[in-house]
Amino acid sequence: MTDAPHTEAPDPAASLGQQLADIIERLPPDALSLGELLDVFSDEGLLLLTILLTLVFLIPVSIPGVSTVFGAAILLVGVSRLINRPLWLPQRVKHKALPAARLRPGLTAGLIWVRRMEKISRPHRLRLFVDGPGQGVINNLAFILAALLLMAPFGFVPFSNTLPALALLLYAIGFIQRDGGAILLGHLANIGTIVYFSVLIGGGGVAVRELFQRLTG
């Protein structure tokens, strides 16, 4: 296990993009673990941690094993929010070493999405999609669904990770800003992901059926 990263708690007065950029800049040069990142963000910063974990999926870069580990962590963040309990991570996920040297460029490149979202996000907009216990349950279930879609075994297909990661980014920003507009866009990204996966599965089924018919015809 590497030493804990030399990071400080994010400055709440800074913008989301700046807070994340500061954390990325302080990542260790070799490896780190989710447990070490969690020590930096604490339970109060889980949504900020979620944003950080989505960044590598918003650009065309592939880092083996990351979607499973990050997706599982984001899923558990959603579950902890749904049941209103502190985040619990399995030891295998919490202490898995991640290649910081490969992650840093992807995280930095993904920050452009956070800065774009900051420009269009408005605190307390469309509160119909934010306020109320019923909306909280619906939104957290949608967050969990997006995490499950991120973990789906389609990593080799273009945009299969990008779409659910975008939904998670929108949800996290919407929860932080109490922005119903961002949450609504997150729902639309979730629906788009489901439609995209349905097309992939349906197209794959047709291709397999045609191949079978050719082989047996």
Side-chain angles (χ1 to χ4, degrees):
M1 177 63 60
T2 60
D3 293 334
H6 299 290
T7 54
E8 301 173 359
D11 179 5
S15 68
L16 295 179
Q18 188 57 53
Q19 291 181 60
L20 292 169
D22 290 343
I23 291 296
I24 294 169
E25 179 65 26
R26 298 189 187 110
L27 290 180
D30 46 8
L32 75 158
S33 69
L34 278 176
E36 291 168 339
L37 281 176
L38 188 59
D39 289 340
V40 174
F41 287 97
S42 74
D43 285 344
E44 291 75 19
L46 290 182
L47 291 174
L48 199 60
L49 174 62
T50 296
I51 295 175
L52 180 75
L53 299 183
T54 63
L55 296 183
V56 293
F57 305 112
L58 298 174
I59 59 172
V61 63
S62 177
I63 304 176
V66 169
S67 63
T68 301
V69 175
F70 282 13
I74 295 171
L75 173 65
L76 291 172
V77 168
V79 171
S80 71
R81 286 178 52 83
L82 182 65
I83 64 176
N84 196 28
R85 293 289 187 273
L87 175 66
W88 172 83
L89 289 178
Q91 293 300 310
R92 182 178 178 181
V93 173
K94 186 174 183 179
H95 296 301
K96 181 177 176 60
L98 301 167
R102 296 188 62 186
L103 282 173
R104 185 182 288 105
L107 295 171
T108 301
L111 278 175
I112 187 173
W113 286 93
V114 177
R115 301 191 192 282
R116 287 173 178 172
M117 297 304 168
E118 283 184 311
K119 291 180 180 179
I120 64 174
S121 179
R122 298 290 182 272
H124 306 291
R125 176 177 53 179
L126 296 177
R127 298 180 65 174
L128 172 66
F129 295 98
V130 181
D131 293 338
Q135 286 299 334
V137 171
I138 292 172
N139 292 336
N140 284 318
L141 286 173
F143 183 97
I144 291 171
L145 173 61
L148 290 170
L149 292 172
L150 180 66
M151 298 173 66
F154 296 119
F156 59 92
V157 179
F159 305 112
S160 61
N161 285 332
T162 303
L163 290 173
L166 181 59
L168 289 164
L169 173 62
L170 287 163
Y171 285 137
I173 291 178
F175 294 157
I176 292 172
Q177 301 271 63
R178 308 295 294 172
D179 180 3
I183 291 174
L184 178 59
L185 290 174
H187 292 331
L188 294 176
N190 250 359
I191 293 171
T193 303
I194 293 171
V195 170
Y196 184 50
F197 283 4
S198 298
V199 171
L200 289 177
I201 294 171
V206 171
V208 170
R209 185 169 62 250
E210 289 182 353
L211 178 60
F212 180 77
Q213 289 174 349
R214 289 180 182 179
L215 293 176
T216 58

